[in-house]
Amino acid sequence: IDFEIATTNIFNDVFGYRATHLGQMGTLSAPDVLLISDSEGYQSIIDTKAYKRYTLPGKGYDRMVYHYVPEYKSYSTDKDKKLAFFAYIAGAFGDTIDSKIKNESDACHCSGSCINASNFIHMVENQTSGKKKYTHKELRDIFGVKRQITLADID
């Protein structure tokens, strides 16, 4: 839960989203974090995974494809904003994660991605140091790559 809340706070305080922690709502139909971009008019889903090496098992795939994405308006306060992307944040990911994210994106008709904690921290450092200031349009593009986000994507 601490990881979910910290991620929510980072997207709110560092990247300027209206971020809401939804995790632990007692239902499988809500992801951990909902992001709303007022400047670009979209919303997004973040699912955190406190794993050293997340592999996107069938249960995780099913939650995103059959619950989180299709039902996002049920837990959103801005029902007029379309869902721009979904993303996973974890310590690291398994070798087949790129193909799994691509298949998941295709199945739910929404761009998805995943980013390891090290690269996410790098993004935070870029933003807070002023080395690279990400707009919500740039973040939508980065998090919509349909694979794992690399350092080349964020620098």
Side-chain angles (χ1 to χ4, degrees):
I1 295 172
D2 290 341
F3 184 34
E4 296 170 8
I5 293 169
T7 301
T8 304
N9 292 338
I10 288 169
F11 275 104
N12 187 46
D13 300 338
V14 175
F15 295 113
Y17 284 95
R18 276 194 294 135
T20 304
H21 177 240
L22 300 172
Q24 310 306 313
M25 289 180 62
T27 177
L28 296 180
S29 63
D32 296 330
V33 183
L34 176 71
L35 306 178
I36 296 175
S37 170
D38 291 316
S39 64
E40 290 295 317
Y42 69 81
Q43 51 192 316
S44 302
I45 294 168
I46 304 295
D47 207 28
T48 61
K49 299 297 177 189
Y51 295 95
K52 290 182 182 178
R53 189 171 171 87
Y54 186 65
T55 59
L56 188 56
K59 188 163 94 173
Y61 174 96
D62 288 348
R63 283 183 184 169
M64 190 64 73
V65 172
Y66 300 114
H67 297 285
Y68 296 172
V69 170
E71 298 172 8
Y72 78 94
K73 288 185 179 182
S74 69
Y75 48 79
S76 173
T77 57
D78 272 320
K79 298 182 188 331
D80 61 319
K81 290 180 173 60
K82 293 189 178 188
L83 193 65
F85 64 82
F86 65 86
Y88 298 95
I89 301 174
F93 296 92
D95 295 335
T96 61
I97 197 67
D98 285 349
S99 63
K100 288 182 175 184
I101 293 290
K102 171 77 168 80
N103 291 341
E104 190 176 44
S105 295
D106 292 346
C108 64
H109 308 289
C110 182
S111 295
S113 65
C114 60
I115 186 167
N116 66 42
S118 177
N119 287 353
F120 188 60
I121 290 168
H122 186 75
M123 288 182 75
V124 171
E125 290 170 345
N126 281 349
Q127 186 82 358
T128 57
S129 72
K131 179 180 176 185
K132 170 88 172 140
K133 290 283 192 178
Y134 304 100
T135 66
H136 286 187
K137 181 185 181 314
E138 290 171 319
L139 290 167
R140 179 182 59 217
D141 293 344
I142 290 168
F143 282 97
V145 294
K146 296 186 179 181
R147 60 173 165 73
Q148 186 168 189
I149 297 166
T150 66
L151 283 175
D153 295 317
I154 61 179
D155 282 336

